[in-house]
Amino acid sequence: IFYNEYGFYNELLAALKTLEDKGFARQSFSTYYETANNLDELKEKIFTGEIEDAKTVASLMAYAVKYEA
């Protein structure tokens, strides 16, 4: 999961897309990761079941509680 708050990972995501476009990847890199631009998107991915790993869910929810206050 790339938590792309304030566009922090925009350049990396663009580089991955460029590699795909130039044929350096057999399949899309985006099949290996998710992106979210804010805490609400992260929580939505958890609640809809897109993110199921227990450690990931626990850490993201702890982060949300800490930084939403």
Side-chain angles (χ1 to χ4, degrees):
I1 298 169
F2 288 106
Y3 181 37
N4 195 30
E5 187 173 42
Y6 306 114
F8 185 83
Y9 289 106
N10 284 349
E11 290 183 31
L12 174 62
L13 296 169
L16 292 174
K17 179 74 172 123
T18 299
L19 289 172
E20 288 175 21
D21 292 345
K22 294 190 181 244
F24 287 100
R26 290 189 177 153
Q27 76 182 80
S28 174
F29 286 118
S30 63
T31 61
Y32 299 107
Y33 63 84
E34 296 281 338
T35 59
N37 296 309
N38 56 54
L39 285 174
D40 289 333
E41 287 182 22
L42 282 174
K43 289 191 288 187
E44 182 179 331
K45 289 179 183 294
I46 290 169
F47 298 142
T48 61
E50 290 180 62
I51 300 172
E52 296 178 331
D53 176 69
K55 290 180 186 176
T56 303
V57 170
S59 63
L60 292 174
M61 293 308 291
Y63 180 87
V65 168
K66 182 175 181 177
Y67 291 104
E68 279 190 333

